[in-house]
């Protein structure tokens, strides 16, 4: 039982409202405001950075833009407790391997499958700001920035 508890401490999430936040994604590349940032660690060394925005349109309540990848070598993983709450270790950086976006209705149900793209990029995370950018082979580009 103790071994299971020790393994459970390596994953969880951290979330906070942002002071300022914006994201851009294909095809329009228009800037969209966002209001929350969530870091999720499902395995030590793997991290996803999720930007959460109010939805655009009548049927969409929330939109998420997610950058996922691995921490740069020698970068610290989040410190997570058994209850799944984590504390980021600032500063850190992430090598992005994929980008996904998903939309939710006002009941919290996904409006279709997440659109996931293999992409290359980076995220730089500090106590005051987070910036992620990535692109794929087709030339599509994603950018999100938040002030904490």
């Amino acid at each position: 039982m103790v071994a299971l508890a020790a393994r459970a401490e390596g994953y969880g999430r951290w979330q906070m409202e942002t002071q300022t936040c914006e994201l851009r994604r294909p095809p329009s590349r228009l800037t969209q405001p966002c209001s929350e940032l969530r870091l999720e660690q499902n395995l030590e060394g793997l991290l996803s950075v999720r930007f959460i925005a109010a939805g655009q349109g009548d049927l969409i309540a929330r939109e998420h833009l997610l950058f996922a990848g691995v921490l740069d070598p020698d970068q610290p993983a989040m410190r997570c407790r058994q209850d799944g709450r984590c504390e980021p270790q600032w500063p850190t950086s992430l090598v992005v391997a994929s980008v996904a976006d998903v939309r939710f209705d006002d009941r919290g149900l996904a409006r279709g499958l997440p659109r996931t793209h293999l992409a290359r990029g980076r995220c730089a995370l500090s106590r005051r700001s987070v910036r992620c950018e990535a692109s794929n082979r087709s030339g599509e580009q994603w950018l999100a920035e938040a002030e904490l």
Side-chain angles (χ1 to χ4, degrees), residues 64 90 99-100 104:
H64 294 198
W90 311 110
V99 177
F104 297 91

Side-chain angles (χ1 to χ4, degrees), residues 22-26 32 34 36-38 48-53 62-68 99-104 115 117 132 141-145:
E22 64 181 28
L23 52 92
R24 280 178 263 169
R25 61 179 154 213
Q32 178 182 358
C34 45
E36 294 177 67
L37 178 76
R38 181 185 306 158
S48 64
V49 181
R50 183 182 303 260
F51 295 84
I52 303 170
R62 297 180 60 81
E63 299 184 45
H64 294 198
L65 179 60
L66 176 110
F67 296 82
V99 177
D101 64 85
V102 65
R103 293 173 170 89
F104 297 91
R115 292 181 301 236
H117 309 271
C132 293
Q141 297 179 329
W142 296 265
L143 172 67
E145 297 178 280

Side-chain angles (χ1 to χ4, degrees), residues 2-132:
V2 173
L4 288 175
R7 281 187 281 171
E9 292 179 10
Y11 67 91
R13 72 181 190 184
W14 173 87
Q15 184 169 331
M16 77 174 305
E17 290 185 12
T18 59
Q19 291 183 20
T20 62
C21 185
E22 64 181 28
L23 52 92
R24 280 178 263 169
R25 61 179 154 213
S28 68
R29 298 279 301 151
L30 295 175
T31 300
Q32 178 182 358
C34 45
S35 59
E36 294 177 67
L37 178 76
R38 181 185 306 158
L39 304 181
E40 298 165 320
Q41 179 174 279
N42 294 324
L43 186 63
E44 198 169 298
L46 300 179
L47 190 69
S48 64
V49 181
R50 183 182 303 260
F51 295 84
I52 303 170
Q56 305 207 346
D58 294 338
L59 300 176
I60 307 298
R62 297 180 60 81
E63 299 184 45
H64 294 198
L65 179 60
L66 176 110
F67 296 82
V70 296
L71 293 173
D72 271 328
D74 301 322
Q75 295 296 303
M78 288 198 298
R79 290 188 188 141
C80 299
R81 300 190 301 235
Q82 289 180 353
D83 65 2
R85 288 186 288 171
C86 299
E87 286 298 321
Q89 303 303 298
W90 311 110
T92 194
S93 57
L94 175 74
V95 177
V96 174
S98 66
V99 177
D101 64 85
V102 65
R103 293 173 170 89
F104 297 91
D105 66 17
D106 59 0
R107 297 173 296 166
L109 301 174
R111 301 274 307 158
L113 295 173
R115 292 181 301 236
T116 304
H117 309 271
L118 290 177
R120 289 189 158 183
R122 302 200 56 78
C123 290
L125 299 91
S126 74
R127 191 174 305 279
R128 293 190 177 108
S129 66
V130 174
R131 176 184 168 85
C132 293

